[in-house]
Amino acid sequence: YINGQIIQKPVRKHSTIQTEFASVVNASLKPQKAGRAFSELRCTFGGQSIIPDVSVFAWANIPRDDNGEIANVFEIAPDWSVEILSPGQSQTLVTKNLLHCLNHGTQMGWLIDPFEQTVFICLPEQQPQAFDQPEQSVPVPDFAQTLKLTIASVFGWLLE
């Protein structure tokens, strides 16, 4: 709502990739109870709270309450943390978030740059790798091996 008018927020590359990524991960991992993706989930661990664009947890690591339902509070690092750059967003800030995750048990971090059509893969104590060729398969954590993604499929979501 701006100056008395309802203005629809334009669909952005960031939100398109975020939505499609979480949907594809859940379609692949949830039926076999291998893992689950959550968008914009606050995770508190290592003395700070972060909200990755997508947090993916191996099924056995999803925090649950006494009723067995998904907990309201997640006080652990995601198993797979995904950040997607938006226009004007600090690459330093999202990189720091990924490093915080990796230093506290995250198996893999992705930094998706929609403008360069590149996915940076971050693993604990390893140099990041850049994937930018359409036919390249993008690595996923061990618990998500049934999920097969290429650079073309990730950025193809922007064409659908």
Side-chain angles (χ1 to χ4, degrees), residues 70-127:
I70 293 174
N72 280 324
V73 177
F74 280 54
E75 294 181 328
I76 62 171
D79 294 302
W80 182 8
S81 183
V82 179
E83 295 285 359
I84 305 160
L85 284 180
S86 295
Q89 187 177 31
S90 166
Q91 189 169 356
T92 300
L93 177 63
V94 294
T95 301
K96 284 181 177 180
N97 285 346
L98 287 173
L99 292 174
H100 181 73
C101 288
L102 292 168
N103 288 332
H104 289 89
T106 295
Q107 297 174 31
M108 180 176 288
W110 277 25
L111 174 55
I112 300 174
D113 185 338
F115 309 98
E116 297 292 330
Q117 296 212 342
T118 300
V119 177
F120 293 93
I121 304 298
C122 304
L123 298 168
E125 300 181 24
Q126 291 186 29
Q127 180 175 339

Side-chain angles (χ1 to χ4, degrees), residues 42-46 57 63 71 73-77:
R42 179 179 302 278
C43 300
T44 303
F45 56 92
F57 288 83
V73 177
F74 280 54
E75 294 181 328
I76 62 171

